[in-house]
Amino acid sequence: MLMHVINMGHDVFRANDKLAEKNRKLLEKHEVFAVNVMGAIGSGKTTLIEEAVKALKDRYRIAVIAGDVIAEMDASRFRKLGVPTVPANTGKECHLDAKLVEKALEELDLENIDLLIIENVGNLICPVDFKLGEELRVVAVSVSEGDDIILKHPMIFKTSELAVINKVDIAKAVDVNPETMKRDILILNPEIPVLLTSKHDKESLKAWIGYLEEGIKDMKGI
Ligand code: MG
Ligand code: ZN
């Protein structure tokens, strides 16, 4: 997965940054709060997004960009919740980039969206280098990935603005202490808020959902 990064010149990143900034401005103009949800396959990104959609969709207008090598599977889960969803198939690529998001934005009625959630491709490495135009970068990690997963992927934790340690209900079964994971994240990024979540504990999801709601309100200045 690292190969393409090694082969790519800085020009690719610079071009992507420029396009990401264009996306960001477009989203800002329409007062859309955009979130980039990153994390490995199995970290529970789709489920975290579903829970947020369910909790917020009666009060806010939500849309989802579902990024994946084959994005239709997750996209259908979001469509079932009744929110506009654009699948962004990356083909062979293991990350979304600003160009794919630009294309997806063309299919959305931005004037009628308050919150745009972008599910990135399951990967802890290259999404780091590709800004999409988001306002908030979130990294989700599951306890089932093991407690050395954090320090093995420092950049994504250093560059994210919110971290979610998910599936904490199975921590004992997989012999991982979520507090150790949290400590490792804070070693890498002392400023980042770290949430512990489980889809089976609705109370634990409130802070996650609250962050999104705060973002929407900030974007609208309310
Ligand atoms: Mg998913
Ligand atoms: Zn990639």
Side-chain angles (χ1 to χ4, degrees), residues 162 195-197 202-212:
L162 175 66
L195 311 177
L196 272 57
T197 57
K202 297 294 174 206
E203 202 60 35
S204 77
L205 296 166
K206 280 191 177 160
W208 155 240
I209 293 157
Y211 262 92
L212 299 180

Side-chain angles (χ1 to χ4, degrees), residues 45-47 68 74 77 119-120:
K45 297 184 295 301
T46 309
T47 303
D68 216 331
D74 286 346
R77 284 171 62 178
E119 178 173 351
N120 215 312

Side-chain angles (χ1 to χ4, degrees), residues 1 4-5 93-95 123 126-127 130:
M1 276 184 180
H4 73 274
V5 176
E93 291 295 341
C94 41
H95 57 270
N123 179 344
C126 36
F130 292 88

Side-chain angles (χ1 to χ4, degrees), residues 32-69:
V32 179
F33 179 63
V35 187
N36 178 5
V37 182
M38 303 172 288
I41 293 166
S43 57
K45 297 184 295 301
T46 309
T47 303
L48 285 167
I49 296 169
E50 280 176 317
E51 292 298 328
V53 169
K54 280 189 233 166
L56 296 170
K57 70 174 181 176
D58 292 339
R59 278 174 294 146
Y60 303 100
R61 301 162 299 177
I62 306 175
V64 181
I65 295 175
D68 216 331
V69 178

Side-chain angles (χ1 to χ4, degrees), residues 29-174:
K29 185 177 130 202
H30 293 281
E31 298 185 338
V32 179
F33 179 63
V35 187
N36 178 5
V37 182
M38 303 172 288
I41 293 166
S43 57
K45 297 184 295 301
T46 309
T47 303
L48 285 167
I49 296 169
E50 280 176 317
E51 292 298 328
V53 169
K54 280 189 233 166
L56 296 170
K57 70 174 181 176
D58 292 339
R59 278 174 294 146
Y60 303 100
R61 301 162 299 177
I62 306 175
V64 181
I65 295 175
D68 216 331
V69 178
I70 303 163
E72 271 306 327
M73 247 158 55
D74 286 346
S76 67
R77 284 171 62 178
F78 302 129
R79 285 202 192 101
K80 257 185 213 145
L81 301 175
V83 291
T85 302
V86 182
N89 294 304
T90 58
K92 292 196 305 268
E93 291 295 341
C94 41
H95 57 270
L96 284 178
D97 61 26
K99 183 92 200 152
L100 282 162
V101 169
E102 181 192 39
K103 254 176 64 192
L105 291 179
E106 284 168 11
E107 293 180 45
L108 291 168
D109 176 13
L110 297 179
E111 201 44 43
N112 287 304
I113 296 170
D114 303 311
L115 170 66
L116 173 66
I117 308 179
I118 305 168
E119 178 173 351
N120 215 312
V121 180
N123 179 344
L124 285 170
I125 297 169
C126 36
V128 170
D129 293 311
F130 292 88
K131 288 181 197 148
L132 307 177
E134 71 275 37
E135 204 61 43
L136 178 71
R137 290 165 73 77
V138 181
V139 57
V141 61
S142 160
V143 294
S144 58
E145 294 173 69
D147 55 14
D148 55 357
I149 192 80
I150 314 273
L151 296 178
K152 279 183 181 166
H153 299 88
M155 283 317 291
I156 198 155
F157 294 97
K158 282 184 181 175
T159 58
S160 289
E161 293 150 323
L162 175 66
V164 181
I165 301 172
N166 197 22
K167 306 191 184 179
V168 293
D169 54 309
I170 61 162
K172 276 214 169 71
V174 295

